[in-house]
Amino acid sequence: MPSLRPIILVEDNPDDERLTIRALRRGSIANEILVARNGEEALAMVLSSHPLPSVVLLDLKLPKIDGLEVLRQIRANERTHLLPVVVLTSSSEESDIINSYNLGANSYVRKPVEIEKFIEAVRQLGLYWAVINEIHPEVRKP
């Protein structure tokens, strides 16, 4: 059985970070979860990770470099341009949704306000992107 690829969570809110990790674990996601707390850390982590993660869960409102710029740079890099990136944010601004998809986001998920709904949404995300989804063969390369 191949080793599990990590999940990179890009989240600057400690409460959302804890809830997201809890939800992934509740969904029996065994992948290592690496956390970046700002856009600069996210880019360094994603661009240097070996192997590439199974998915990046990306918040948009981040310190240092915002999530849209992180997404832009991930898509501009030859090694990471096909990496699954799910925008996981509290923003419901139409411009954020449009810009995320225009920059190549694979999915856009608004964080539910209610804790149990948040946990369930993240659990389902984790199951789909870390277990069910087949990643592009180029991303599977070491």
Side-chain angles (χ1 to χ4, degrees):
M1 178 173 145
S3 64
L4 297 174
R5 292 174 178 274
I7 293 170
I8 294 181
L9 171 62
V10 185
E11 178 58 68
D12 65 318
N13 180 310
D15 293 331
D16 286 354
E17 175 189 331
R18 280 191 298 278
L19 275 175
T20 302
I21 293 169
R22 181 173 142 202
L24 291 168
R25 295 300 179 225
R26 189 183 278 187
S28 299
I29 303 301
N31 306 57
E32 179 181 14
I33 301 167
L34 306 173
V35 179
R37 294 179 180 88
N38 63 58
E40 198 172 83
E41 282 181 14
L43 283 171
M45 193 177 288
V46 170
L47 298 177
S48 68
S49 68
H50 294 282
L52 286 173
S54 59
V55 65
V56 175
L57 302 177
L58 178 64
D59 192 12
L60 291 183
K61 310 301 183 202
L62 298 169
K64 297 191 179 183
I65 300 172
D66 73 26
L68 290 174
E69 182 58 28
V70 170
L71 180 57
R72 181 179 287 109
Q73 290 189 39
I74 288 171
R75 292 298 180 241
N77 184 288
E78 184 178 332
R79 186 169 164 267
T80 60
H81 75 280
L82 296 172
L83 179 65
V85 177
V86 174
V87 173
L88 180 61
T89 184
S90 56
S91 175
S92 59
E93 293 180 35
E94 190 169 316
S95 62
D96 283 339
I97 297 168
I98 291 167
N99 289 332
S100 294
Y101 280 118
N102 283 340
L103 290 170
N106 295 90
S107 186
Y108 189 101
V109 178
R110 192 172 314 118
K111 296 175 188 174
V113 177
E114 295 175 37
I115 291 176
E116 284 306 314
K117 287 183 179 179
F118 179 92
I119 290 171
E120 181 58 18
V122 171
R123 186 190 70 78
Q124 289 180 24
L125 274 175
L127 285 173
Y128 178 78
W129 289 102
V131 178
I132 298 169
N133 184 57
E134 288 287 333
I135 60 175
H136 191 285
E138 289 296 312
V139 175
R140 281 190 232 134
K141 290 181 180 178

